[in-house]
Amino acid sequence: QVQLVESGGGLVQAGGSLRLSCAASGGSFRRYAMGWFRQAPGKRREFVARINWSDDSTLYTASVKGRFTISRDNAKNTVYLQMNSLKPEDTAVYYCAAQAVVGGPFDYWGQGTQVTVSS
């Protein structure tokens, strides 16, 4: 069983930056692909970014490409989401998740951290 705890959310002005962290415990972190998702009020949860465990390859949704960077530190069992040039439409609760099988479901989820971008 993997436990995930996000941190680093907050209130920032448009154009600013935040770095989210997700600390994992209870499992073989380095063998999971890790992802970030977000859910804005009244909207469905959407995929933001993913990083594979085997080669650290990354994937981003189009709306954040070039502004957000996902990375991982296996020694610290932590995945990060560096968010630059933030926009009001990035406002959401951000969740990290762990995926045991490539192409399969994300099996474990954190509790989420709020990111609010003011205009």
Side-chain angles (χ1 to χ4, degrees):
Q1 189 79 7
V2 176
Q3 291 83 43
L4 304 173
V5 179
E6 302 97 334
S7 61
L11 173 63
V12 64
Q13 289 188 331
S17 298
L18 282 174
R19 188 177 80 154
L20 305 184
S21 299
C22 173
S25 61
S28 299
F29 174 77
R30 64 184 64 234
R31 298 301 297 267
Y32 287 89
M34 299 298 297
W36 286 96
F37 293 76
R38 65 186 180 187
Q39 186 167 19
K43 295 187 177 181
R44 299 181 65 177
R45 186 167 58 193
E46 65 170 348
F47 167 81
V48 175
R50 188 195 75 214
I51 184 166
N52 282 342
W53 70 268
S54 57
D55 58 3
D56 282 354
S57 59
T58 57
L59 180 69
Y60 298 91
T61 192
S63 62
V64 309
K65 200 171 294 185
R67 300 189 297 123
F68 290 12
T69 303
I70 187 171
S71 61
R72 65 191 296 162
D73 185 337
N74 288 337
K76 295 182 178 180
N77 285 358
T78 300
V79 62
Y80 305 97
L81 185 68
Q82 177 67 44
M83 306 186 295
N84 299 329
S85 302
L86 282 161
K87 305 175 181 180
E89 51 263 43
D90 294 318
T91 294
V93 178
Y94 283 71
Y95 300 89
C96 74
Q99 183 187 46
V101 177
V102 175
F106 281 83
D107 307 275
Y108 304 101
W109 294 83
Q111 82 289 347
T113 186
Q114 176 70 47
V115 171
T116 303
V117 185
S118 63
S119 57

